Amino acid sequence: MSSCKTPHTTELVKTMDVESILHMKEGLGETSYAQNSSLQKKSMEAMKRFIIDSALAVYASKTPEIFTIADLGCSSGTNSLYLAEEIIKAIHERSWQSARLTSEFLVFLNDLPTNDFNAMFLSFPEFNMKFKAGIELQGGSAPSVYIAGIPGSFYGRLFPGNSLDFIYTCYSLHWLSQVPLGLLDSDCKSINKGKMYISNTSPPAVSLAYFKQFQKDFSLFLNSRSAELHLEGRIVILMLGRRTEDHSDKSTTVLWELLDRSLAIMVSQEIIDEEKVDAYNVPFYAPSAKEIEDEVHREGSFVMDHIQAYELSTSTGDPKEDARIISMAIKAIQESMIRHHFGEAIIDTLFQIYSGLLSEFMVKEEIKSSHLLVVLRKSC
């Protein structure tokens, strides 16, 4: 809850309950996250070697009988078990080459309670069968793999102390635990009128509010993981980030601004109320590499083994197809929050407009997304 004062009273304004509202579009249908997470998969493929090498480094330093892995923010699409499988295969191959006893593997899949965990569990028997068949085809004996679902927010403790060897989180940590406080003036009016995120027209107080919420959340994330990881355990983070220290960096704001324009068109067509649009803010923050480094140093439990900012092109060479892919991906991610705030009726019209604006934009200019890869090692 946040408060703002009117001349005669103090009014409490509810903030979005992210934990109960935010979830990727469930199921396997055309509009589901499972069918619209190709952009995330592309980045995971590009950075897969860093993730696997970090897990191998932990295994080489410990060679535990049971290697425990946690995927934080696993969602329920085709990406859910992809990295876990690659990590297990790499460790199994390394242990076979060195004639060591292969570990058993325990994989914890974490996401908010609203995640479609059933879809993941239903896919596990097929995953396990293909995994074992692949290794046995090469003449080896497949290790035992156990899967457990852990519902809950990673902005807090999820596991017992010193219980994990390796943690990875892909495209989850740019989501904040809540919409930042401080986005309303003393009369309960938005100070970021017509915008759902930071833009180049936002007053400095908006950027500051988002930055403070990021600091609070990321510090809590690091503290919680420090308690759960074994000494020398690693965390690998893939997330959206900024190339510069400018909070309105175009690579992280352009998709939000086009969604702002889509809502403004619907206001002009009297489909939705302007006040409703002004009141909508997203619980999102794309940090810079320096902001990550500063928070890691401040928390003190981790050494930063690697940090890298990089860009990925979203282009397939066909602007209309690119616009369709991006629009479907944003819809799969944002639909639950938009539906909660505006209602079900606007969804299809909103994303028809959004796809059109994206297409117009991408005919003129390619959209490149900015990402961060971070590798942390627990040092104390």
Coordinates of all heavy atoms in Angstrom, one line a residue, residues 254-333:
V254 N 11.7 1.3 -25.5 CA 11.0 1.5 -26.7 C 9.7 0.6 -26.8 O 8.6 1.1 -27.2 CB 11.9 1.2 -28.0 CG1 12.4 -0.2 -28.0 CG2 11.1 1.5 -29.2
L255 N 9.8 -0.6 -26.3 CA 8.6 -1.5 -26.3 C 7.5 -1.0 -25.4 O 6.3 -1.1 -25.7 CB 9.0 -2.9 -26.0 CG 9.9 -3.6 -27.0 CD1 10.3 -5.0 -26.6 CD2 9.2 -3.6 -28.4
W256 N 7.9 -0.4 -24.2 CA 7.0 0.1 -23.3 C 6.3 1.4 -23.9 O 5.1 1.6 -23.7 CB 7.6 0.5 -21.9 CG 8.2 -0.7 -21.2 CD1 9.5 -0.9 -20.8 CD2 7.5 -1.8 -20.7 NE1 9.6 -2.0 -20.1 CE2 8.4 -2.7 -20.0 CE3 6.2 -2.2 -20.7 CZ2 8.1 -3.9 -19.4 CZ3 5.8 -3.4 -20.2 CH2 6.7 -4.2 -19.5
E257 N 7.1 2.2 -24.5 CA 6.6 3.5 -25.1 C 5.6 3.2 -26.2 O 4.6 3.9 -26.4 CB 7.7 4.3 -25.5 CG 8.5 4.9 -24.4 CD 9.7 5.8 -24.8 OE1 9.8 6.0 -26.0 OE2 10.4 6.3 -23.9
L258 N 5.8 2.1 -27.0 CA 4.9 1.8 -28.0 C 3.6 1.2 -27.4 O 2.5 1.5 -27.9 CB 5.5 0.8 -29.0 CG 6.6 1.3 -29.9 CD1 7.3 0.1 -30.6 CD2 6.0 2.3 -30.9
L259 N 3.7 0.6 -26.3 CA 2.5 0.1 -25.6 C 1.8 1.3 -25.0 O 0.5 1.4 -24.9 CB 2.9 -0.9 -24.5 CG 1.8 -1.8 -24.0 CD1 1.0 -2.5 -25.1 CD2 2.4 -2.8 -23.0
D260 N 2.5 2.3 -24.5 CA 1.9 3.6 -24.0 C 1.1 4.2 -25.2 O -0.1 4.7 -25.0 CB 3.0 4.6 -23.6 CG 3.7 4.2 -22.3 OD1 3.0 3.6 -21.5 OD2 4.8 4.6 -22.1
R261 N 1.7 4.3 -26.3 CA 1.0 4.9 -27.5 C -0.3 4.1 -27.9 O -1.3 4.7 -28.3 CB 1.9 5.0 -28.7 CG 3.0 6.1 -28.6 CD 4.0 6.0 -29.8 NE 3.3 6.1 -31.1 CZ 3.8 5.8 -32.2 NH1 5.1 5.5 -32.3 NH2 3.2 5.9 -33.3
S262 N -0.2 2.8 -27.7 CA -1.4 2.0 -28.0 C -2.5 2.3 -27.1 O -3.7 2.4 -27.5 CB -1.0 0.5 -27.9 OG 0.1 0.2 -28.8
L263 N -2.2 2.4 -25.8 CA -3.2 2.8 -24.8 C -3.8 4.2 -25.1 O -5.0 4.5 -24.9 CB -2.7 2.7 -23.4 CG -2.4 1.3 -22.9 CD1 -1.6 1.3 -21.6 CD2 -3.7 0.5 -22.7
A264 N -2.9 5.1 -25.5 CA -3.3 6.5 -25.8 C -4.3 6.5 -27.0 O -5.2 7.3 -27.0 CB -2.1 7.4 -26.1
I265 N -4.1 5.7 -27.9 CA -5.0 5.6 -29.1 C -6.4 5.1 -28.6 O -7.4 5.6 -29.0 CB -4.4 4.6 -30.2 CG1 -3.2 5.3 -30.9 CG2 -5.5 4.3 -31.2 CD1 -2.5 4.4 -31.8
M266 N -6.3 4.2 -27.7 CA -7.6 3.6 -27.1 C -8.3 4.7 -26.3 O -9.6 4.7 -26.2 CB -7.4 2.3 -26.4 CG -6.9 1.2 -27.2 SD -6.6 -0.3 -26.4 CE -8.3 -0.9 -26.1
V267 N -7.6 5.5 -25.6 CA -8.2 6.7 -24.9 C -8.8 7.6 -25.9 O -10.0 8.1 -25.7 CB -7.1 7.4 -24.0 CG1 -7.7 8.7 -23.5 CG2 -6.6 6.5 -22.9
S268 N -8.1 7.9 -27.0 CA -8.7 8.9 -28.0 C -9.9 8.3 -28.6 O -10.8 9.1 -29.1 CB -7.6 9.2 -29.0 OG -7.4 8.0 -29.9
Q269 N -10.0 7.0 -28.7 CA -11.2 6.3 -29.2 C -12.3 6.1 -28.2 O -13.3 5.4 -28.5 CB -10.8 5.0 -29.9 CG -9.9 5.1 -31.1 CD -9.3 3.8 -31.6 OE1 -9.4 2.8 -30.9 NE2 -8.8 3.8 -32.8
E270 N -12.0 6.5 -27.0 CA -13.0 6.4 -25.8 C -13.3 5.0 -25.5 O -14.4 4.7 -25.0 CB -14.3 7.2 -26.1 CG -14.0 8.7 -26.3 CD -15.3 9.5 -26.5 OE1 -16.4 8.9 -26.7 OE2 -15.2 10.7 -26.4
I271 N -12.3 4.1 -25.7 CA -12.4 2.7 -25.3 C -12.1 2.5 -23.8 O -12.7 1.7 -23.1 CB -11.6 1.8 -26.2 CG1 -12.0 1.9 -27.7 CG2 -11.6 0.4 -25.7 CD1 -11.1 1.2 -28.6
I272 N -11.1 3.3 -23.4 CA -10.7 3.3 -22.0 C -10.5 4.7 -21.5 O -10.3 5.6 -22.2 CB -9.3 2.5 -21.8 CG1 -8.2 3.0 -22.7 CG2 -9.5 1.0 -21.9 CD1 -6.9 2.3 -22.5
D273 N -10.5 4.8 -20.1 CA -10.4 6.1 -19.5 C -8.9 6.5 -19.3 O -8.1 5.7 -19.0 CB -11.1 6.1 -18.1 CG -12.6 5.9 -18.2 OD1 -13.1 6.3 -19.2 OD2 -13.1 5.4 -17.2
E274 N -8.7 7.8 -19.5 CA -7.3 8.3 -19.4 C -6.8 8.1 -18.0 O -5.6 7.8 -17.8 CB -7.3 9.8 -19.8 CG -5.9 10.4 -19.8 CD -5.9 11.9 -20.2 OE1 -7.0 12.5 -20.4 OE2 -4.8 12.4 -20.4
E275 N -7.6 8.3 -17.0 CA -7.2 8.1 -15.6 C -6.7 6.7 -15.3 O -5.8 6.5 -14.5 CB -8.3 8.5 -14.6 CG -8.5 10.0 -14.5 CD -9.6 10.4 -13.5 OE1 -10.0 9.5 -12.8 OE2 -9.9 11.6 -13.3
K276 N -7.4 5.8 -16.0 CA -7.1 4.4 -15.8 C -5.7 4.1 -16.4 O -4.9 3.4 -15.8 CB -8.1 3.5 -16.5 CG -8.1 2.0 -16.1 CD -8.8 1.9 -14.8 CE -9.1 0.4 -14.5 NZ -9.6 0.2 -13.2
V277 N -5.4 4.7 -17.5 CA -4.1 4.6 -18.1 C -3.0 5.2 -17.3 O -1.9 4.6 -17.1 CB -4.1 5.2 -19.5 CG1 -2.6 5.3 -20.1 CG2 -5.0 4.5 -20.5
D278 N -3.3 6.4 -16.7 CA -2.3 7.1 -15.9 C -2.0 6.3 -14.6 O -0.8 6.4 -14.1 CB -2.8 8.5 -15.5 CG -2.9 9.5 -16.6 OD1 -2.3 9.2 -17.6 OD2 -3.6 10.5 -16.5
A279 N -2.9 5.5 -14.2 CA -2.7 4.7 -13.0 C -2.0 3.4 -13.2 O -1.7 2.7 -12.2 CB -4.1 4.4 -12.3
Y280 N -1.7 3.1 -14.5 CA -1.1 1.8 -14.8 C 0.5 1.9 -14.8 O 1.0 2.7 -15.7 CB -1.6 1.2 -16.1 CG -1.1 -0.2 -16.4 CD1 -1.4 -1.3 -15.6 CD2 -0.2 -0.4 -17.5 CE1 -0.9 -2.5 -15.8 CE2 0.3 -1.7 -17.7 CZ -0.1 -2.7 -16.9 OH 0.4 -4.0 -17.2
N281 N 1.2 1.2 -14.0 CA 2.6 1.2 -14.0 C 3.1 -0.2 -13.9 O 2.5 -1.1 -13.2 CB 3.2 2.0 -12.8 CG 2.7 3.4 -12.8 OD1 3.2 4.2 -13.5 ND2 1.8 3.7 -11.9
V282 N 4.2 -0.5 -14.6 CA 4.7 -1.9 -14.6 C 5.8 -2.1 -13.5 O 6.6 -1.2 -13.3 CB 5.3 -2.3 -16.0 CG1 4.1 -2.4 -17.0 CG2 6.3 -1.3 -16.5
P283 N 5.8 -3.3 -12.9 CA 6.8 -3.6 -11.9 C 8.1 -4.1 -12.6 O 8.5 -5.3 -12.4 CB 6.1 -4.6 -11.0 CG 5.2 -5.4 -12.0 CD 4.8 -4.3 -13.0
F284 N 8.8 -3.3 -13.3 CA 9.9 -3.7 -14.1 C 11.1 -2.7 -13.9 O 10.9 -1.5 -13.7 CB 9.4 -3.7 -15.6 CG 10.5 -3.9 -16.6 CD1 10.9 -5.1 -17.1 CD2 11.2 -2.8 -17.2 CE1 11.9 -5.3 -18.0 CE2 12.2 -2.9 -18.1 CZ 12.5 -4.2 -18.6
Y285 N 12.3 -3.2 -14.0 CA 13.5 -2.4 -14.0 C 14.6 -3.0 -14.7 O 15.0 -4.2 -14.4 CB 13.9 -2.0 -12.6 CG 15.0 -1.0 -12.5 CD1 14.7 0.4 -12.7 CD2 16.3 -1.3 -12.3 CE1 15.7 1.3 -12.7 CE2 17.3 -0.4 -12.2 CZ 17.0 0.9 -12.4 OH 18.0 1.9 -12.4
A286 N 15.2 -2.3 -15.7 CA 16.4 -2.8 -16.4 C 17.6 -2.1 -15.9 O 17.8 -0.9 -16.2 CB 16.2 -2.6 -17.9
P287 N 18.4 -2.8 -15.0 CA 19.6 -2.1 -14.5 C 20.7 -2.0 -15.4 O 20.8 -2.7 -16.4 CB 19.9 -3.0 -13.3 CG 19.5 -4.3 -13.7 CD 18.3 -4.1 -14.6
S288 N 21.7 -1.1 -15.1 CA 23.0 -1.1 -15.8 C 23.9 -2.1 -15.2 O 23.7 -2.5 -14.0 CB 23.5 0.3 -15.8 OG 23.9 0.7 -14.4
A289 N 25.0 -2.4 -15.8 CA 26.0 -3.3 -15.3 C 26.6 -2.6 -14.0 O 26.8 -3.3 -13.0 CB 27.1 -3.5 -16.3
K290 N 26.8 -1.3 -14.0 CA 27.4 -0.7 -12.8 C 26.4 -0.8 -11.6 O 26.9 -1.0 -10.5 CB 27.7 0.8 -13.1 CG 28.3 1.5 -11.9 CD 28.6 3.0 -12.3 CE 29.3 3.7 -11.1 NZ 28.6 3.7 -9.9
E291 N 25.1 -0.6 -11.8 CA 24.2 -0.8 -10.7 C 24.2 -2.2 -10.1 O 24.1 -2.3 -8.9 CB 22.8 -0.4 -11.2 CG 22.6 1.1 -11.5 CD 21.3 1.4 -12.2 OE1 20.6 0.5 -12.7 OE2 21.0 2.6 -12.3
I292 N 24.3 -3.2 -11.0 CA 24.5 -4.6 -10.5 C 25.8 -4.7 -9.7 O 25.8 -5.2 -8.6 CB 24.5 -5.6 -11.7 CG1 23.1 -5.6 -12.4 CG2 24.9 -7.0 -11.2 CD1 22.1 -6.4 -11.6
E293 N 26.9 -4.2 -10.2 CA 28.2 -4.3 -9.5 C 28.1 -3.6 -8.2 O 28.6 -4.2 -7.2 CB 29.3 -3.7 -10.4 CG 29.6 -4.5 -11.6 CD 30.6 -3.7 -12.5 OE1 30.7 -2.5 -12.4 OE2 31.2 -4.4 -13.3
D294 N 27.5 -2.5 -8.1 CA 27.4 -1.7 -6.8 C 26.6 -2.5 -5.8 O 27.0 -2.5 -4.6 CB 26.7 -0.3 -7.1 CG 27.6 0.6 -7.8 OD1 28.8 0.3 -8.0 OD2 27.1 1.7 -8.3
E295 N 25.5 -3.1 -6.2 CA 24.7 -3.8 -5.2 C 25.4 -5.1 -4.8 O 25.3 -5.5 -3.6 CB 23.3 -4.2 -5.8 CG 22.4 -3.0 -6.0 CD 22.3 -2.1 -4.8 OE1 22.0 -2.6 -3.7 OE2 22.5 -0.9 -4.9
V296 N 26.1 -5.8 -5.6 CA 26.9 -7.0 -5.3 C 27.9 -6.6 -4.3 O 28.1 -7.3 -3.2 CB 27.5 -7.7 -6.5 CG1 28.5 -8.8 -6.1 CG2 26.4 -8.3 -7.4
H297 N 28.7 -5.5 -4.5 CA 29.7 -5.1 -3.6 C 29.1 -4.7 -2.3 O 29.7 -5.0 -1.2 CB 30.4 -3.9 -4.2 CG 31.5 -3.3 -3.4 ND1 32.7 -3.9 -3.1 CD2 31.5 -2.2 -2.6 CE1 33.5 -3.2 -2.3 NE2 32.8 -2.1 -2.0
R298 N 28.0 -4.0 -2.3 CA 27.4 -3.6 -1.0 C 26.9 -4.8 -0.2 O 27.0 -4.7 1.0 CB 26.2 -2.6 -1.4 CG 25.5 -2.0 -0.1 CD 24.4 -1.0 -0.5 NE 24.9 0.1 -1.2 CZ 24.7 0.4 -2.5 NH1 24.0 -0.4 -3.2 NH2 25.3 1.5 -3.0
E299 N 26.3 -5.8 -0.8 CA 25.8 -6.9 -0.1 C 27.0 -7.7 0.5 O 26.9 -8.2 1.7 CB 25.0 -7.8 -1.0 CG 24.1 -8.9 -0.3 CD 24.9 -10.1 0.0 OE1 25.9 -10.4 -0.7 OE2 24.5 -10.8 1.0
G300 N 28.0 -8.0 -0.2 CA 29.3 -8.5 0.4 C 29.5 -10.0 0.4 O 30.6 -10.4 0.8
S301 N 28.5 -10.8 0.0 CA 28.7 -12.2 0.1 C 29.3 -12.9 -1.1 O 29.6 -14.1 -1.1 CB 27.3 -12.9 0.4 OG 26.8 -12.5 1.6
F302 N 29.3 -12.1 -2.2 CA 29.7 -12.7 -3.5 C 30.8 -12.0 -4.2 O 31.0 -10.8 -4.0 CB 28.5 -12.7 -4.5 CG 27.3 -13.5 -4.0 CD1 26.3 -13.0 -3.3 CD2 27.2 -14.9 -4.4 CE1 25.2 -13.7 -2.9 CE2 26.2 -15.6 -4.0 CZ 25.1 -15.1 -3.2
V303 N 31.6 -12.8 -4.9 CA 32.6 -12.2 -5.9 C 32.0 -12.3 -7.2 O 31.3 -13.3 -7.6 CB 33.9 -13.1 -5.8 CG1 34.8 -12.7 -6.9 CG2 34.6 -13.0 -4.5
M304 N 32.2 -11.2 -8.0 CA 31.7 -11.2 -9.4 C 32.7 -11.8 -10.3 O 33.7 -11.2 -10.6 CB 31.3 -9.8 -9.8 CG 30.7 -9.7 -11.1 SD 30.0 -8.1 -11.4 CE 28.6 -8.0 -10.4
D305 N 32.4 -13.0 -10.8 CA 33.3 -13.7 -11.7 C 33.2 -13.2 -13.1 O 34.2 -13.2 -13.9 CB 33.0 -15.2 -11.7 CG 33.6 -16.0 -10.5 OD1 34.4 -15.3 -9.8 OD2 33.3 -17.1 -10.3
H306 N 32.1 -12.7 -13.5 CA 31.9 -12.2 -14.8 C 30.6 -11.3 -14.9 O 29.6 -11.6 -14.3 CB 31.7 -13.4 -15.8 CG 31.6 -13.0 -17.2 ND1 32.7 -12.7 -18.0 CD2 30.6 -12.9 -18.1 CE1 32.4 -12.4 -19.2 NE2 31.1 -12.5 -19.3
I307 N 30.7 -10.2 -15.7 CA 29.5 -9.5 -16.0 C 29.7 -8.9 -17.4 O 30.8 -8.5 -17.8 CB 29.3 -8.3 -15.0 CG1 27.9 -7.6 -15.3 CG2 30.4 -7.3 -15.0 CD1 27.4 -6.7 -14.2
Q308 N 28.7 -9.0 -18.2 CA 28.7 -8.7 -19.6 C 27.4 -8.1 -20.1 O 26.3 -8.7 -19.8 CB 29.0 -10.0 -20.4 CG 29.0 -9.8 -21.9 CD 29.3 -11.1 -22.6 OE1 29.8 -12.1 -22.0 NE2 29.1 -11.1 -23.9
A309 N 27.5 -7.0 -20.7 CA 26.3 -6.4 -21.4 C 26.4 -6.7 -22.8 O 27.5 -6.6 -23.4 CB 26.3 -4.9 -21.1
Y310 N 25.3 -7.1 -23.4 CA 25.3 -7.4 -24.8 C 23.9 -7.1 -25.5 O 22.9 -7.0 -24.7 CB 25.6 -8.9 -25.1 CG 24.7 -9.9 -24.5 CD1 23.7 -10.5 -25.2 CD2 24.8 -10.2 -23.1 CE1 22.9 -11.4 -24.7 CE2 23.9 -11.1 -22.5 CZ 22.9 -11.7 -23.3 OH 22.1 -12.7 -22.8
E311 N 23.9 -7.0 -26.8 CA 22.7 -6.7 -27.5 C 22.3 -7.9 -28.4 O 23.2 -8.6 -28.8 CB 22.8 -5.5 -28.4 CG 22.8 -4.2 -27.7 CD 22.7 -3.0 -28.6 OE1 23.2 -3.1 -29.8 OE2 22.3 -1.9 -28.2
L312 N 21.0 -8.1 -28.5 CA 20.5 -9.1 -29.5 C 19.6 -8.5 -30.4 O 18.7 -7.7 -30.0 CB 19.8 -10.2 -28.7 CG 20.7 -11.3 -28.1 CD1 19.8 -12.3 -27.3 CD2 21.6 -12.0 -29.1
S313 N 19.7 -8.8 -31.7 CA 18.8 -8.3 -32.7 C 17.5 -9.2 -32.7 O 17.6 -10.4 -32.5 CB 19.4 -8.4 -34.1 OG 18.5 -8.2 -35.1
T314 N 16.4 -8.6 -32.8 CA 15.1 -9.3 -32.9 C 14.7 -9.6 -34.4 O 13.6 -10.1 -34.6 CB 14.0 -8.5 -32.2 OG1 13.9 -7.2 -32.8 CG2 14.3 -8.3 -30.7
S315 N 15.5 -9.1 -35.3 CA 15.1 -9.1 -36.7 C 15.2 -10.5 -37.4 O 16.2 -11.2 -37.2 CB 16.0 -8.2 -37.5 OG 15.6 -8.2 -38.9
T316 N 14.2 -10.9 -38.1 CA 14.2 -12.0 -39.0 C 14.4 -11.6 -40.5 O 14.4 -12.5 -41.4 CB 12.9 -12.9 -38.9 OG1 11.8 -12.1 -39.3 CG2 12.7 -13.3 -37.4
G317 N 14.4 -10.3 -40.7 CA 14.4 -9.8 -42.1 C 13.0 -9.4 -42.6 O 12.9 -8.8 -43.6
D318 N 12.0 -9.7 -41.8 CA 10.6 -9.4 -42.2 C 10.0 -8.6 -41.1 O 9.6 -9.1 -40.0 CB 9.8 -10.7 -42.4 CG 8.4 -10.4 -42.8 OD1 7.9 -9.3 -42.7 OD2 7.7 -11.4 -43.2
P319 N 9.9 -7.2 -41.2 CA 9.4 -6.4 -40.1 C 8.0 -6.8 -39.6 O 7.8 -6.7 -38.4 CB 9.4 -5.0 -40.7 CG 10.4 -5.1 -41.8 CD 10.3 -6.4 -42.4
K320 N 7.1 -7.2 -40.5 CA 5.8 -7.6 -40.0 C 5.8 -8.8 -39.2 O 5.1 -8.9 -38.2 CB 4.9 -7.8 -41.3 CG 4.5 -6.5 -41.9 CD 3.4 -6.7 -43.0 CE 3.0 -5.4 -43.6 NZ 1.9 -5.6 -44.7
E321 N 6.6 -9.8 -39.6 CA 6.8 -11.0 -38.8 C 7.5 -10.7 -37.5 O 7.1 -11.3 -36.4 CB 7.5 -12.1 -39.6 CG 7.8 -13.4 -38.9 CD 6.5 -14.1 -38.5 OE1 5.4 -13.8 -38.9 OE2 6.6 -15.1 -37.7
D322 N 8.5 -9.9 -37.5 CA 9.2 -9.5 -36.3 C 8.2 -8.8 -35.3 O 8.2 -9.1 -34.1 CB 10.3 -8.5 -36.6 CG 11.4 -9.1 -37.4 OD1 11.5 -10.3 -37.4 OD2 12.2 -8.4 -38.0
A323 N 7.3 -7.9 -35.8 CA 6.4 -7.2 -35.0 C 5.4 -8.2 -34.4 O 5.0 -8.1 -33.3 CB 5.6 -6.2 -35.8
R324 N 5.0 -9.2 -35.2 CA 4.0 -10.2 -34.7 C 4.7 -11.0 -33.6 O 4.0 -11.3 -32.5 CB 3.6 -11.2 -35.9 CG 2.5 -12.2 -35.5 CD 2.4 -13.3 -36.5 NE 3.5 -14.2 -36.5 CZ 3.7 -15.1 -35.6 NH1 2.8 -15.3 -34.6 NH2 4.8 -15.9 -35.6
I325 N 5.9 -11.4 -33.8 CA 6.6 -12.2 -32.7 C 6.7 -11.5 -31.4 O 6.4 -12.0 -30.4 CB 8.0 -12.7 -33.3 CG1 7.8 -13.7 -34.4 CG2 8.8 -13.3 -32.1 CD1 9.1 -14.0 -35.1
I326 N 7.2 -10.2 -31.5 CA 7.4 -9.4 -30.3 C 6.0 -9.1 -29.7 O 5.9 -9.2 -28.4 CB 8.1 -8.1 -30.7 CG1 9.5 -8.4 -31.1 CG2 8.1 -7.1 -29.5 CD1 10.3 -7.1 -31.6
S327 N 5.0 -8.8 -30.5 CA 3.7 -8.5 -29.9 C 3.2 -9.7 -29.1 O 2.6 -9.5 -28.0 CB 2.8 -8.0 -31.0 OG 1.5 -7.8 -30.5
M328 N 3.3 -10.8 -29.7 CA 2.8 -12.1 -29.0 C 3.6 -12.3 -27.8 O 3.0 -12.8 -26.8 CB 2.9 -13.2 -30.0 CG 1.9 -13.2 -31.2 SD 0.2 -13.3 -30.8 CE 0.1 -15.1 -30.6
A329 N 4.9 -12.1 -27.8 CA 5.7 -12.3 -26.6 C 5.3 -11.3 -25.5 O 5.1 -11.7 -24.3 CB 7.2 -12.1 -26.9
I330 N 5.1 -10.1 -25.8 CA 4.7 -9.1 -24.8 C 3.3 -9.4 -24.3 O 3.1 -9.3 -23.1 CB 4.8 -7.6 -25.4 CG1 6.2 -7.3 -25.8 CG2 4.2 -6.6 -24.4 CD1 7.2 -7.3 -24.7
K331 N 2.5 -9.8 -25.2 CA 1.1 -10.2 -24.7 C 1.1 -11.3 -23.7 O 0.5 -11.3 -22.7 CB 0.2 -10.5 -25.9 CG -1.2 -10.9 -25.6 CD -2.0 -11.2 -26.8 CE -3.5 -11.5 -26.4 NZ -4.3 -11.9 -27.6
A332 N 1.9 -12.4 -24.0 CA 2.0 -13.5 -23.2 C 2.6 -13.1 -21.8 O 2.2 -13.7 -20.8 CB 2.9 -14.6 -23.8
I333 N 3.4 -12.1 -21.7 CA 4.0 -11.7 -20.5 C 3.1 -10.7 -19.7 O 3.0 -10.8 -18.5 CB 5.4 -11.1 -20.7 CG1 6.4 -12.1 -21.3 CG2 6.0 -10.4 -19.5 CD1 7.7 -11.5 -21.9

